[in-house]
Amino acid sequence: MVLAEELEAKLKNNLAAEAVVRVVDKSGGCGSSFDLFIVSDEFDKVPLLKRHRKIHDMLEDEMPSIHALTM
């Protein structure tokens, strides 16, 4: 099971220190559906698809257990 706190910590460790990261478990506690809110200068002028790919790459190990991820 994936925990929102674990995802948030992993994203914060992989993004710039000033990045704002919030992760909300929308699955009712089973860890399969999450909403992500990320604000980082790293994403300025980066196309949406590339931003999503970057996040998916950061969460590579967790993605097989996640059913839905909204950014």
Side-chain angles (χ1 to χ4, degrees):
M1 180 170 83
V2 180
L3 299 175
E5 295 82 11
E6 293 172 352
L7 292 181
E8 191 167 317
K10 189 163 191 178
L11 290 168
K12 284 181 178 180
N13 286 335
N14 283 285
L15 292 167
E18 74 278 350
V20 176
V21 179
R22 292 193 184 102
V23 179
V24 178
D25 185 345
K26 302 298 275 187
S27 65
C30 72
S32 65
S33 179
F34 297 93
D35 282 347
L36 304 181
F37 176 80
I38 302 170
V39 178
S40 175
D41 289 341
E42 292 178 54
F43 295 129
D44 281 352
K45 299 180 183 170
V46 176
L48 181 63
L49 186 56
K50 286 188 178 186
R51 285 185 251 162
H52 282 226
R53 285 182 180 149
K54 184 172 183 168
I55 297 301
H56 277 253
D57 288 346
M58 288 179 197
L59 302 176
E60 178 180 16
D61 296 335
E62 292 81 4
M63 288 309 295
S65 299
I66 296 175
H67 174 73
L69 191 62
T70 304
M71 295 181 236

